[in-house]
Amino acid sequence: MGESITGLKRSHMCCHVNETMIGQEVTVMGWVQRRRDLGQLIFIALRDRTGLVQIAIDGNTAPKEIFEKAETVRSEYTLAVRGIVTARTEGNINPNMKTGKIEIIASELRILSESETTPFQIEDNITVKDDLRLKYRYLDLRRPCQLKNIVLRHQVVQALRSFLNNEGFLEIETPILGKSTPEGARDYLVPSRVHPGNFYGLPQSPQLYKQLLMVSGMDRYYQIAKCFRDEDLRADRQPEFTQVDMELSFIDVDDIMDINERLMQKVFKDIMNVDVQLPLQRMTYKEAMERFGSDKPDVRFGMELVNISDVVAGTDFVVFKSALEAGGSVRAINAKGCGSFPRKKIDSLVEFVKTYRAKGLAWIVVNEDGSLKSQIAKFFTPEKLQEIVDKMEGKPGDLILICADKDKVVFDSLGALRLELSKMLELTRPDDFRFLWITEFPMLEWDEEENRYVAVHHPFTAPMDEDLELLDTDPGAVRAKAYDIVLNGYELGGGSIRIHRRDIQQKMFELLGFTQEDAQERFGFLLDAFKYGVPPHGGLAFGLDRIIMLMSNAPSIRDVIAFPKVKDASCPMTDAPNVVDQKQLDELAICFNEEILKAAAAETEEA
């Protein structure tokens, strides 16, 4: 049974009590981190979101009922304590606590509520499964590291808002219940009771609404926007996530980059005291893929890809020969100092790249005496092997790793391999923040399954001016006025200049295989708005969760979201999603196909 709080008013948060208040009476409230019973002296470490303060109850001087009550206190009990701030004796000062030089001598203590034994300790560096932490997320959030992430998130959002407000942006909310426009990831659908058989789509982004705001003359818009995508999860993905979304009128690429560079500079300086040097590095998509095998390269370390197709051209080694004849390439990375890797470890790298559809991995070890060792040595003359090593600038102790296949497979495999090696070799530091822009993305890519072009970003991205004529002659070669901002191997945000001309927008829809009727059905409200004077406009959206994950060095975005989902898009704490009663289904005119349900359940269980 808990006591009433009536008559007590909290005067200070726990860590706001300090040495300047010695002799003053204060009232603090929070949770019991731990209790130490020294017989006639009881110490309680009381915790709120600011940290810990020590409460002392002396059996020789405290009222009997207070001391007896303190003897019953256990971890995670919720207390209210009134008392006098007192300096600790020299030997009892705790330099590891913010309040380590003082304690509160309790004159009144109330147990506001009791607690059962928690399923895990409320402290950092615990070893406990994620599913258990997330089932009791309200307890997990009491841990200092988790609380720190949530506070950081709040501070970042305030800094973002402050900057954008000062730059003349308007914060405008766009609808959550909108029209489903399936192009890309799957939408989450919401059935309508008022319109039986019809559905709303939850927004994957506010894209169409923010373009309409530009048509409306709002000029500069931003929103801390909730977005939803029904897709498979990874460590940095969630079915519902938060974007820092913006759109601007009468601008071009450089204008948007300038604003967002200064935005990141302010946030990292204000929150982390990290100086971001401007302007940020810029790199074209083509250069990023050629050098790093990724459109979101981690540039904190080298180990760049090198195209050795010219060196091995004409070889009879069937793996290299067939890759080149099929229009692919042979590329390699130099893992400096890794020539001492045991064969078992090298074989594990070969297996690693197979998960990226590579057929294998050739390797050359440069021994300390300069001699070469390779599993493909019998297919090449010593001179040709040395030529490969020279092209890779190999030195004694190096390990050359080679992949041959279609370019996409080679880029994916070696791009992932260099990241894997950087982790193994600890080549990066989490406090080294390296930003860059990736520009000139392909506008379209060919989808073999659908036998048509699909938009790399979305159908409203403008082509680069100099590539306009290629829309009719070579659509796959068209580059987009699109740009991503990348940090340490993660895409922080992406955007583009939008199409504002009806003829180009119509051409885009045609390339994507939409008839005029299809386009009008899906995007008619946008196309109708474009009849009435459209300003040149563009925008960008940051993934807020991902920014906080990198700033806090958290292993997953789940650690920076108050109540996240797990990998199957469920919530262990609330058991969502769950069944609803038949009455609700009847009101929505929904019934289930039992055979399809059983098949889907079986597929999920197998996965």
Side-chain angles (χ1 to χ4, degrees), residues 22 53 92 157 163 166 177 203 234 283 299 320 335 401 489 571 590:
I22 289 172
V53 68
N92 289 323
V157 169
F163 177 89
N166 289 334
L177 297 176
R234 299 199 297 266
M283 186 181 297
V299 295
F320 291 177
L401 298 163
C571 173
I590 291 177

Side-chain angles (χ1 to χ4, degrees), residues 177-205:
L177 297 176
K179 182 178 181 180
S180 177
T181 54
E183 180 72 17
R186 288 183 294 272
D187 286 338
Y188 276 103
L189 301 176
V190 179
S192 169
R193 178 184 59 80
V194 180
H195 303 280
N198 290 283
F199 294 81
Y200 298 104
L202 300 185
Q204 296 186 32
S205 85

Side-chain angles (χ1 to χ4, degrees), residues 19-118:
E19 305 95 283
T20 66
M21 301 165 63
I22 289 172
Q24 294 181 25
E25 183 179 75
V26 297
T27 301
V28 292
M29 300 180 186
W31 289 263
V32 175
Q33 180 71 24
R34 58 184 172 271
R35 184 192 67 126
R36 289 185 297 141
D37 191 335
L38 305 181
Q40 283 298 103
L41 190 59
I42 296 174
F43 292 109
I44 295 171
L46 195 69
R47 182 193 72 245
D48 64 16
R49 78 179 196 205
T50 64
L52 298 170
V53 68
Q54 180 165 283
I55 311 298
I57 304 98
D58 189 338
N60 296 314
T61 58
K64 181 179 179 182
E65 65 273 13
I66 291 180
F67 189 80
E68 289 176 347
K69 196 182 296 183
E71 288 183 307
T72 69
V73 165
R74 298 292 181 268
S75 293
E76 299 309 310
Y77 276 32
T78 311
L79 306 183
V81 178
R82 178 153 51 196
I84 302 298
V85 181
T86 306
R88 295 198 197 190
T89 59
E90 191 68 31
N92 289 323
I93 291 175
N94 185 346
N96 298 318
M97 281 178 67
K98 186 176 179 181
T99 58
K101 292 183 178 181
I102 57 94
E103 60 189 8
I104 300 172
I105 307 299
S107 58
E108 184 174 358
L109 184 150
R110 296 188 195 180
I111 299 175
L112 303 178
S113 64
E114 299 176 356
S115 173
E116 296 181 3
T117 301
T118 55

Side-chain angles (χ1 to χ4, degrees), residues 308 311-312 315-321 330-332 343 346 350 360-365 372-386 388-389 400-404:
I308 61 170
V311 177
V312 300
T315 179
D316 290 328
F317 181 43
V318 66
V319 176
F320 291 177
K321 183 178 180 180
V330 183
R331 300 173 193 263
R343 180 61 185 268
I346 295 176
V350 176
L361 196 65
W363 51 267
I364 303 172
V365 171
L372 306 180
K373 179 173 67 175
S374 173
Q375 94 276 38
I376 60 170
K378 63 183 178 182
F379 300 105
F380 296 90
T381 64
E383 292 77 16
K384 181 58 71 173
L385 274 186
Q386 187 62 53
I388 295 172
V389 171
I400 313 299
L401 298 163
I402 309 168
C403 186

Side-chain angles (χ1 to χ4, degrees), residues 484-501:
D484 283 358
I485 187 168
V486 173
L487 175 61
N488 295 356
Y490 288 88
E491 176 200 335
L492 277 195
S496 66
I497 300 301
R498 322 304 185 190
I499 298 170
H500 71 282
R501 285 173 44 186

